[in-house]
Amino acid sequence: MALVPCQVLRAAILLSYCSILCNYKAIDMPAHQTYGGSWKFLTFIDLVIQAVFFGICVLTDLSSLLTRGNDSQEQERQLKKLISLRDWMMAVLAFPVGVFVVTMFWSIYIYDRELVYPKLLDNFIPAWLNHGMHTTVLPFVLIEMRTTHHQYPSRSCGLAAVCTFAVGYILWVCWIHHVTGVWVYPLLEHLSPSVKIIFFAAVTIVINIFYLVGEVLNSYIWDTQK
């Protein structure tokens, strides 16, 4: 795809995420007033990750246009840093976390929505906003992967970073339970301590698998084109 259409596409995706975040934060839900606020939900964290990532994409596109035909080595160096940051975020956060949120949410939702998204939330969150948080993330990140080649870090560094994020969020969820006595997700209320450990380990493994899927898919798309 041409550079300008890609720029417009990324800008549109960024604006959509900003709109989703603003509408979500404007909702007066009791859960937003409790300990941790919106930051206790992986869905909200993922929305922030996606918004920041596409913000960096847009900034990279603008910098690329501004430095085109410019022989300034300093500007070229700064652009390379932006590209490296963009690629790292895509590999470690935007793709694996985004795909994980979409697949896990809808898998549990289809099995028993009360475990992850109780019907009570329908009174606060409209259907379009729910899909904006839990559905469109996947096509948006796939579009980005298809339109732009991203340089993945070494597999060991990438997996270490993904594990750090996963374990960090699990510890955050456990800390919230320690402080409030309530689990962030109703699903966890039904699991015994030993099963919770297995569940958390499985979650960490799954998000690492999604990292590997992204790495393979990125290589397949761009090696095929080459």
Side-chain angles (χ1 to χ4, degrees):
M1 294 182 67
L3 179 61
V4 173
C6 290
Q7 286 180 316
V8 174
L9 188 60
R10 293 189 187 102
I13 293 174
L14 174 60
L15 289 175
S16 71
Y17 276 123
C18 291
S19 175
I20 291 169
L21 282 168
C22 290
N23 279 277
Y24 178 75
K25 292 297 291 183
I27 296 173
D28 185 20
M29 284 199 308
H32 290 175
Q33 313 304 322
T34 57
Y35 185 82
S38 303
W39 292 98
K40 58 179 170 282
F41 300 113
L42 185 58
T43 292
F44 179 77
I45 294 174
D46 178 50
L47 287 176
V48 173
I49 288 173
Q50 302 297 333
V52 171
F53 168 68
F54 279 99
I56 293 173
C57 288
V58 171
L59 184 59
T60 301
D61 286 340
L62 290 174
S63 299
S64 179
L65 286 174
L66 292 173
T67 57
R68 182 175 294 177
N70 194 323
D71 295 331
S72 173
Q73 292 185 351
E74 177 62 23
Q75 289 183 346
E76 192 69 26
R77 187 170 64 86
Q78 295 300 325
L79 176 59
K80 287 181 179 179
K81 285 184 177 180
L82 268 178
I83 293 174
S84 296
L85 177 60
R86 178 201 67 186
D87 292 350
W88 185 89
M89 279 204 69
M90 176 65 172
V92 172
L93 295 175
F95 186 89
V97 177
V99 175
F100 177 84
V101 166
V102 173
T103 55
M104 286 296 291
F105 174 83
W106 287 113
S107 297
I108 299 174
Y109 185 98
I110 292 171
Y111 174 74
D112 184 356
R113 67 170 294 178
E114 294 298 319
L115 296 175
V116 66
Y117 193 82
K119 289 184 178 180
L120 176 65
L121 293 179
D122 291 341
N123 298 323
F124 300 95
I125 303 176
W128 72 266
L129 186 56
N130 179 29
H131 285 292
M133 296 188 297
H134 298 116
T135 305
T136 59
V137 172
L138 181 57
F140 283 168
V141 78
L142 289 176
I143 288 171
E144 171 60 24
M145 179 171 283
R146 175 63 183 82
T147 57
T148 305
H149 176 257
H150 297 275
Q151 186 68 43
Y152 268 61
S154 66
R155 182 166 294 180
S156 58
C157 290
L159 291 175
V162 173
C163 282
T164 300
F165 175 85
V167 172
Y169 180 70
I170 289 170
L171 292 175
W172 171 231
V173 168
C174 292
W175 174 255
I176 292 172
H177 176 261
H178 172 74
V179 173
T180 65
V182 177
W183 287 105
V184 174
Y185 302 102
L187 169 67
L188 297 172
E189 301 281 357
H190 303 278
L191 304 180
S192 65
S194 58
V195 175
K196 281 188 181 74
I197 294 174
I198 296 173
F199 176 77
F200 288 143
V203 163
T204 304
I205 292 171
V206 169
I207 198 170
N208 276 274
I209 290 174
F210 285 139
Y211 170 85
L212 296 175
V213 169
E215 182 184 52
V216 171
L217 185 59
N218 181 72
S219 297
Y220 172 78
I221 291 172
W222 295 98
D223 288 349
T224 300
Q225 288 193 356
K226 289 178 183 178

